[in-house]
């Protein structure tokens, strides 16, 4: 008998990954209470990914969740026409009602681009702490040892302790082969140095209409799960190191569901980076 094949249901009956949507307080307490083993240690989280993936927006979203209000620590662009972030910048998040900062920092770098964008060699130099704050990335040539922004004597705190790849879920299938190869090259160098790697999948609400309708469908969406599996196969990041989030873009108030995904990703980033940090300083 002929006839059209029925399309698979857009949603799984059950979530394939558990997340505690109702425990925002507990998740926040975990982040707030996090302390490195040694006083003065600072966990450095390096964000990289394609142009327009939402790296700066992720930093702003994390800060917003931790502070309980909308914040714009990192300048973000609402277009994807070229690289908005041009220089190596460190972002610290201050704790509310305190003069202290969280013991982790984010570094935002120029986006990866097939023609122009940050060079893979510069990302590798950042891993080992050789890139100073304020260095303006040059798509034509890498940072040289004679440059004033080359850090000749990096400390443990200068080095990267966890690499976070930020990629947009809605355009994963159209990502260029050149960009995918750059992601692979950066991942391989991080692996050689033992640096743990996490992928944060942004713009999930644009990748699947069921997620846009209800963010809690994020781990029931067949479309998103397939995208995650394909990215895992293409770049080599294990599925249990890929975390979908929805960044704050247009909202003026926080959402518990959005916060839950951001906190879930942040908790794993801190755990993986902290484990690496502790191994290196033992």
């Amino acid at each position: 008998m002929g006839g059209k094949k029925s399309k698979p249901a857009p949603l799984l009956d059950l979530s394939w990954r558990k997340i505690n949507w109702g425990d925002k307080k507990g998740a926040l307490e975990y982040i707030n209470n996090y302390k490195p083993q040694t006083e003065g240690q600072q966990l450095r989280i390096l964000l990289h990914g394609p142009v327009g993936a939402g790296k700066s927006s992720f930093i702003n979203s994390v800060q917003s969740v931790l502070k309980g209000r909308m914040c714009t620590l990192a300048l973000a662009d609402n277009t994807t026409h070229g690289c908005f972030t041009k220089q190596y910048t460190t972002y610290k998040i201050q704790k509310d009602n305190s003069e202290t900062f969280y013991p982790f920092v984010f570094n935002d770098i120029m986006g990866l681009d097939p023609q122009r964008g940050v060079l893979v060699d510069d990302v590798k130099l950042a891993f080992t702490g050789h890139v100073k704050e304020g260095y303006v990335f040059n798509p034509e040539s890498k940072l040289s040892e004679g440059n004033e922004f080359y850090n000749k004597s990096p400390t443990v705190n200068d080095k990267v302790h966890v690499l976070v790849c930020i990629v947009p879920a809605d355009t994963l299938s159209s990502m260029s082969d050149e960009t995918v190869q750059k992601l692979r090259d950066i991942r391989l160098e991080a692996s050689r140095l033992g640096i743990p790697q996490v992928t944060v999948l942004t713009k999930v609400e644009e990748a699947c209409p069921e997620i846009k309708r209800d963010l809690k469908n994020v781990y029931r969406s067949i479309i998103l799960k397939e995208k995650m599996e394909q990215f895992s196969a293409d770049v080599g990041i294990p599925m249990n190191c890929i975390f979908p989030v929805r960044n704050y873009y247009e909202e003026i108030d926080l959402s518990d569901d959005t916060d839950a995904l951001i906190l879930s990703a942040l908790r794993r980033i801190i755990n993986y980076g902290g484990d690496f940090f502790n191994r290196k300083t033992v």
Side-chain angles (χ1 to χ4, degrees):
M1 293 178 65
K4 294 182 179 178
K5 292 183 179 180
S6 59
K7 293 183 179 179
L11 295 176
L12 298 167
D13 291 336
L14 298 172
S15 296
W16 60 272
R17 181 183 284 175
K18 288 185 178 180
I19 181 170
N20 195 339
W21 294 101
D23 190 28
K24 177 179 174 180
K25 182 179 178 182
L28 278 171
E29 283 181 358
Y30 183 89
I31 303 298
N32 286 326
N33 293 333
Y34 168 75
K35 290 181 180 179
Q37 284 186 353
T38 305
E39 188 72 26
Q41 284 183 341
Q42 180 178 267
L43 194 69
R44 189 170 297 277
I45 303 163
L46 179 64
L47 307 185
H48 79 110
V51 173
K55 295 182 290 297
S56 299
S57 294
F58 179 69
I59 295 172
N60 290 334
S61 297
V62 166
Q63 188 193 27
S64 297
V65 175
L66 294 180
K67 284 188 168 290
R69 57 179 174 80
M70 288 298 172
C71 302
T72 53
L73 183 66
L75 291 177
D77 194 12
N78 64 351
T79 71
T80 56
H81 306 301
C83 306
F84 186 67
T85 301
K86 303 289 186 183
Q87 65 183 30
Y88 193 62
T89 306
T90 301
Y91 294 99
K92 300 178 180 181
I93 300 177
Q94 190 172 12
K95 292 190 173 184
D96 271 350
N97 303 319
S98 172
E99 293 183 0
T100 61
F101 291 83
Y102 285 92
F104 52 85
V105 299
F106 291 94
N107 274 101
D108 190 11
I109 61 173
M110 194 178 195
L112 297 172
D113 187 84
Q115 283 75 41
R116 296 181 64 81
V118 67
L119 295 177
V120 172
D121 285 340
D122 276 346
V123 180
K124 293 177 180 179
L125 285 173
F127 286 163
T128 49
H130 288 298
V131 182
K132 287 184 179 181
E133 177 81 4
Y135 169 65
V136 178
F137 294 102
N138 183 352
E140 305 298 330
S141 63
K142 72 173 185 177
L143 176 64
S144 63
E145 290 190 26
N147 192 293
E148 62 177 312
F149 286 98
Y150 185 90
N151 185 2
K152 294 180 180 179
S153 304
T155 65
V156 174
N157 282 351
D158 292 329
K159 298 177 181 180
V160 170
H161 308 110
V162 59
L163 176 68
V164 179
C165 178
I166 308 285
V167 288
D170 60 332
T171 56
L172 267 185
S173 57
S174 60
M175 194 180 298
S176 70
D177 292 341
E178 292 87 351
T179 298
V180 171
Q181 186 58 52
K182 286 184 178 183
L183 292 175
R184 282 200 205 108
D185 290 346
I186 291 169
R187 168 174 150 67
L188 287 173
E189 179 63 15
S191 297
R192 188 185 70 80
L193 296 170
I195 299 171
Q197 301 128 49
V198 170
T199 291
V200 169
L201 208 59
T202 61
K203 304 181 183 180
V204 293
E205 73 282 2
E206 301 300 329
C208 173
E210 290 300 325
I211 297 174
K212 194 164 194 173
R213 183 178 64 82
D214 184 353
L215 196 57
K216 287 182 178 178
N217 286 329
V218 68
Y219 288 126
R220 292 182 60 204
S221 168
I222 294 173
I223 293 173
L224 186 66
K225 189 169 189 285
E226 288 176 347
K227 285 177 177 289
M228 291 171 66
E229 289 169 341
Q230 187 59 54
F231 182 79
S232 176
D234 288 344
V235 180
I237 300 285
M239 281 287 284
N240 62 0
C241 293
I242 303 177
F243 301 96
V245 303
R246 186 188 190 284
N247 282 336
Y248 285 111
Y249 293 107
E250 58 190 7
E251 301 82 359
I252 57 173
D253 295 308
L254 299 180
S255 156
D256 285 347
D257 292 346
T258 300
D259 292 356
L261 289 178
I262 292 169
L263 287 169
S264 175
L266 181 60
R267 180 170 181 164
R268 273 71 188 184
I269 290 168
I270 289 172
N271 284 344
Y272 296 156
D275 289 345
F276 172 69
F277 204 163
N278 294 336
R279 289 197 305 272
K280 298 293 285 185
T281 54
V282 168

